[in-house]
Amino acid sequence: MRSTPSLYQQYRLAVAVTFLLVLAAVGLLLAYGKEQSFVLLNGLNTPALDRLMPYVTYLGDGLIYIPILLLTYFFRRDYLVAIIAGILLCTLFSQGMKNWIYPEELRPFSLEAKQIAIHKVEGVELHRKYSFPSGHTSTAFTCALLLAALLRQRIWVIAMPFVALAVGFSRIYLAQHFLTDVTAGMMIGIVSSYLALLIYRRYHEWRMRKALQKL
């Protein structure tokens, strides 16, 4: 009989997939640089994607935490510790870097001053500063990796980082971020989820010790 994969096994698989995506992004940056990699990815536009990407990007919005917290509360209540820790850590890392370390980082709109054309989606307001890192990508990967740990089917575990990647791509497609920002967001997702699971493990061990003490 095949054993049921553990939460940590599933998490490691999802992280391995994410690392491959990070390597691919780094390779693209090394080959094309910050600006040209943006032009390349932003240029992969179609009318259908113009309609779809504004919705995809919502998967990395902070509001996505609400359904995730509710689902965890009803189906895996003890795991709320990991989710809440992940939210707090992701917010600390991404917003801390964005607002205090790199507040003057300009977004892709700045390329127009260099006579570089960018694709814009009608109705999407372009932000100007606080480009690095991508908060939406950080949120998407933190949530995707923590949720992947709970999944049983390997195909869905592998799929979760690609769902988060779609959010990262949407930020470039909507001319809100460079690939450098998205890549940093992917790394923040790995670090935040890892530390969140570490906190969850320590919490679980503490509960076990408390339960044993009552026997």
Side-chain angles (χ1 to χ4, degrees):
M1 181 183 295
R2 188 166 61 179
S3 61
T4 302
S6 73
L7 180 149
Y8 299 101
Q9 286 176 320
Q10 302 295 64
Y11 173 75
R12 285 192 290 269
L13 175 59
V15 168
V17 173
T18 302
F19 266 123
L20 292 177
L21 296 177
V22 169
L23 289 176
V26 170
L28 201 58
L29 285 168
L30 290 174
Y32 292 95
K34 175 181 175 178
E35 294 181 356
Q36 287 305 311
S37 62
F38 167 82
V39 171
L40 175 66
L41 296 173
N42 177 255
L44 300 175
N45 54 77
T46 67
L49 288 177
D50 281 2
R51 291 189 293 270
L52 178 63
M53 285 298 119
Y55 295 100
V56 171
T57 208
Y58 284 134
L59 294 175
D61 190 90
L63 291 175
I64 197 66
Y65 291 136
I66 296 174
I68 290 174
L69 285 168
L70 289 174
L71 286 171
T72 308
Y73 178 80
F74 286 114
F75 294 103
R76 185 67 186 269
R77 193 167 301 180
D78 70 305
Y79 199 64
L80 271 174
V81 172
I83 298 295
I84 293 172
I87 290 172
L88 294 176
L89 289 165
C90 175
T91 302
L92 175 65
F93 292 142
S94 60
Q95 296 304 313
M97 293 174 68
K98 185 188 294 286
N99 290 284
W100 298 319
I101 302 177
Y102 302 104
E104 300 302 319
E105 280 293 308
L106 296 178
R107 298 199 185 222
F109 88 96
S110 59
L111 295 179
E112 293 184 322
K114 300 179 180 181
Q115 307 303 312
I116 298 176
I118 65 176
H119 175 69
K120 304 172 188 175
V121 175
E122 186 177 355
V124 175
E125 179 186 357
L126 295 185
H127 301 295
R128 296 187 171 272
K129 296 196 299 183
Y130 308 107
S131 183
F132 186 89
S134 167
H136 281 69
T137 307
S138 303
T139 297
F141 273 93
T142 299
C143 292
L145 292 174
L146 288 174
L147 291 178
L150 297 178
L151 299 175
R152 298 296 183 187
Q153 297 296 322
R154 180 168 293 186
I155 185 64
W156 295 115
V157 175
I158 294 172
M160 290 302 287
F162 286 95
V163 173
L165 182 66
V167 175
F169 174 70
S170 77
R171 303 310 289 161
I172 299 172
Y173 189 94
L174 298 175
Q176 301 288 15
H177 285 287
F178 292 99
L179 181 58
T180 46
D181 310 329
V182 169
T183 305
M186 295 164 72
M187 293 302 299
I188 288 173
I190 293 174
V191 173
S192 298
S193 61
Y194 173 80
L195 293 176
L197 274 186
L198 192 62
I199 291 169
Y200 170 73
R201 174 178 279 182
R202 297 290 182 265
Y203 170 74
H204 185 70
E205 291 172 349
W206 174 79
R207 286 188 63 189
M208 291 292 290
R209 287 197 299 269
K210 294 288 286 186
L212 289 173
Q213 288 172 4
K214 292 179 180 179
L215 294 179

